[in-house]
Amino acid sequence: MGHYTRQPETMIANCDYFIADKVEGSGSLAWKKLWKGDIQRKRNRDGWQKKRNKNRNNRDPKSLLELSLDKFRNVLLNQTIPVEAVIRNIASNVTVIIFQVHSHEKNVTISFDKNSSANSSETGVDKGLVSILRPQQSVCTWYLQSPDAKQVLSTAVSFAYSERDPIPGGCNLEFNLEVDPNIYLEYNLIDTCIKFAPANLGYARGANPPSCDSGTGQNSRWRLHYDIYQYFLPENDLSETALLNHLRKMSDVQSVRANGVRLVSLTTDEKTNVHFSSLPGQGVIYNVIVWDPLWNTSAAYVPVHTYACSLTALVDNCSSLRRLSTKIFFTTFAVLGLFICFFGHRFWKTDLFYMGFIVTGFIFFVLFTRITSLSYDVCLILTAVAGLVGGLLLVAYWWRFGFVLLCMLIVGLVLGFFFSSVIFFTPLGDYKVFRDDAVFWVTFSCIALMVPIVFVGCPRILNILACGIVGSYSVVLAIACYLYTSLAYITLDLLRRVLNDDFSQAYTNVPFQTNDLIILAVWGMLAVGGIMVQLRRERREVPFPPHPYRIWKRERERRITNILDPSHHIPPLRERIHNKLSQIKEFFRKEQPAGERTPLLL
């Protein structure tokens, strides 16, 4: 056989990119066959292009969405007519394009084909697809449609990556898509969990993808690192406009790193699922950045958002999260707490009742929730009853025995547990060492016990501090029943950890925005004001009132022995109760008319 020699491109000027070769020693017949085949391929291509242009010209303009890289486009989707999203003139150095679409609350279907299937489409509010480009490919097409009958406003965007950039979801073995860049989110009222497929190394167009399980060396996907970022939407804003605007700050690598808060970094040998504390009614956006340390390149997954509640449910939706029973309970609790904040030490028995209510109410709410299957409202009512009984028992103990140190131990533990909760509410609580329940509870208890130990020599100061801080915080809890504030999670995260065994793995980061600053200032002013008022009022008074039982016993003996004492002639209790009931009965008795009742004799 002969061998091929390259011919000048001017000999086949009618061809776009194919260069014909002539076979030496084979005559002109071989050349003509190659020439005719080349012309036929060009004619077929031209005919297909004309047909495609004709179909595009006849298409409804509303069903075509022209995209540009890194540019967001809002699109209105419906169930009847799918929207074709097209991006053209893709550069030759681009190897991967991630196309994503986001909506507020209604699902959107995104697919590679007009007739979607399970392996080529995704449905949800935050979904995306990865297109691996072929050699010479410069156009990508996707299809968008709403699975519901109502129209859905969504925003679409596409991002390009080169051959050195990692491919998000490139080693997917769990979900439907072959390459899945999506983050899958599950939530309840306690915690939120995100999952994502591992990434793969980037590669050139037309090359075979690197093996996902060929080894664990530096030339495999095991060198990749994952950074999980969190971004909070404005507090008390559940609007569609706010979400779509802020999603733009968490879509590409540079924006995510500039606006998001990195909570955790994972290596490839760690599980690609992370737990967070749920914040019902607060919008949160999560995204994952995969980083290749060898080339120092990164790629972003498709961001996902949640409010930890349903926007469309008729009952228990985001607008009706705060129950009436919760509002009544904590409003009453706050009124008593505000009184304790300024007058707790002066009214010592009321102070003891308040602290006893807190201790027994917390313990019994945990028991009712973990042991029984009662509803939340029933548990809250039983908690209130148990708290009343516990508060009265602590007051009765003080009245009978008058042992100040034991009462102050309970007061100090309440303040200590609150102080420990504040410490773990800070970023210190998200350290990995505290994922272990044993380490957490030992550390938490030691911090809580330090407070009564430090103030053992000055119990009056301890009681005034507890009244001012704990009493004023009850106002914060009452505000949280009507308006979202992150300060309520100081104690709520502790309660969640007690009630839920898996909550130890959750990251408890919360937003701190304008509302929280205002409420924090109010809380601080109440606490400082209450402490200063009580310290000034009680500085010349005795530290604690005398033993009530001894006073009562002394008075009783005095009345028995001293018959000249007017209190000696006080009637017995039974007779006094009978007299009171008679007075009440007389009050409701109808008054008889005055005068003669019989007719006069004439």
Side-chain angles (χ1 to χ4, degrees), residues 292-314:
D292 188 345
L294 181 61
W295 300 112
N296 195 24
T297 56
S298 302
Y301 281 70
V302 178
V304 63
H305 78 278
T306 180
Y307 296 98
C309 56
S310 174
L311 294 170
T312 57
L314 298 178

Side-chain angles (χ1 to χ4, degrees), residues 546-559:
H547 189 182
Y549 179 72
R550 290 181 181 177
I551 296 176
W552 175 81
K553 190 175 181 180
R554 188 185 307 119
E555 290 293 327
R556 189 184 65 171
E557 292 176 354
R558 185 178 60 82
R559 288 195 301 267

Side-chain angles (χ1 to χ4, degrees), residues 83-370:
V83 174
E84 180 182 354
V86 180
I87 184 169
R88 311 179 191 279
N89 302 321
I90 303 174
S92 59
N93 63 335
V94 175
T95 59
V96 171
I97 291 182
I98 297 181
F99 175 70
Q100 52 187 264
V101 62
H102 305 276
S103 65
H104 186 223
E105 55 180 329
K106 295 184 174 62
N107 289 336
V108 173
T109 299
I110 176 175
S111 63
F112 290 108
D113 306 317
K114 197 168 185 177
N115 298 322
S116 60
S117 61
N119 295 328
S120 65
S121 66
E122 279 289 332
T123 300
V125 292
D126 301 289
K127 291 301 176 182
L129 297 174
V130 171
S131 293
I132 308 295
L133 301 182
R134 301 182 301 275
Q136 308 299 330
Q137 182 179 355
S138 61
V139 177
C140 270
T141 304
W142 305 273
Y143 294 90
L144 305 174
Q145 193 171 7
S146 170
D148 300 327
K150 296 182 180 179
Q151 289 185 330
V152 179
L153 177 63
S154 61
T155 183
V157 66
S158 58
F159 297 101
Y161 297 95
S162 63
E163 61 181 279
R164 290 188 175 183
D165 298 324
I167 302 175
C171 287
N172 173 42
L173 297 176
E174 182 178 358
F175 308 109
N176 292 331
L177 296 176
E178 182 179 357
V179 180
D180 196 338
N182 296 290
I183 300 174
Y184 294 85
L185 185 144
E186 299 175 355
Y187 72 86
N188 52 41
L189 292 177
I190 303 297
D191 66 343
T192 299
C193 177
I194 63 171
K195 301 178 182 179
F196 56 94
N200 198 1
L201 301 177
Y203 55 95
R205 293 196 188 191
N208 293 325
S211 176
C212 292
D213 298 315
S214 60
T216 58
Q218 287 298 311
N219 293 326
S220 65
R221 71 174 181 92
W222 296 90
R223 72 182 189 224
L224 300 177
H225 294 263
Y226 303 90
D227 295 330
I228 290 86
Y229 286 82
Q230 186 183 54
Y231 179 85
F232 293 109
L233 298 176
E235 291 180 352
N236 302 301
D237 190 351
L238 306 178
S239 65
E240 185 176 46
T241 304
L243 172 65
L244 298 182
N245 288 337
H246 287 276
L247 270 170
R248 305 186 178 194
K249 300 180 180 180
M250 287 291 289
S251 296
D252 62 288
V253 176
Q254 291 76 16
S255 299
V256 171
R257 288 175 173 169
N259 300 289
V261 177
R262 187 177 66 179
L263 293 183
V264 60
S265 296
L266 303 176
T267 57
T268 307
D269 56 347
E270 295 181 276
K271 291 183 177 180
T272 56
N273 59 335
V274 185
H275 292 262
F276 303 91
S277 172
S278 290
L279 306 173
Q282 170 62 47
V284 187
I285 301 175
Y286 298 99
N287 205 344
V288 178
I289 300 296
V290 54
W291 173 56
D292 188 345
L294 181 61
W295 300 112
N296 195 24
T297 56
S298 302
Y301 281 70
V302 178
V304 63
H305 78 278
T306 180
Y307 296 98
C309 56
S310 174
L311 294 170
T312 57
L314 298 178
V315 181
D316 293 337
N317 54 39
C318 293
S319 302
S320 61
L321 282 173
R322 301 167 180 87
R323 297 172 179 263
L324 179 61
S325 58
T326 305
K327 294 180 179 179
I328 295 174
F329 180 87
F330 282 103
T331 302
T332 307
F333 186 68
V335 172
L336 182 58
L338 195 60
F339 177 83
I340 295 297
C341 178
F342 289 93
F343 307 102
H345 193 73
R346 171 64 63 89
F347 296 89
W348 170 242
K349 295 178 184 178
T350 308
D351 179 20
L352 290 180
F353 172 80
Y354 185 75
M355 298 300 174
F357 181 92
I358 292 175
V359 174
T360 55
F362 182 84
I363 294 173
F364 277 92
F365 182 80
V366 172
L367 292 177
F368 291 146
T369 306
R370 291 191 69 103

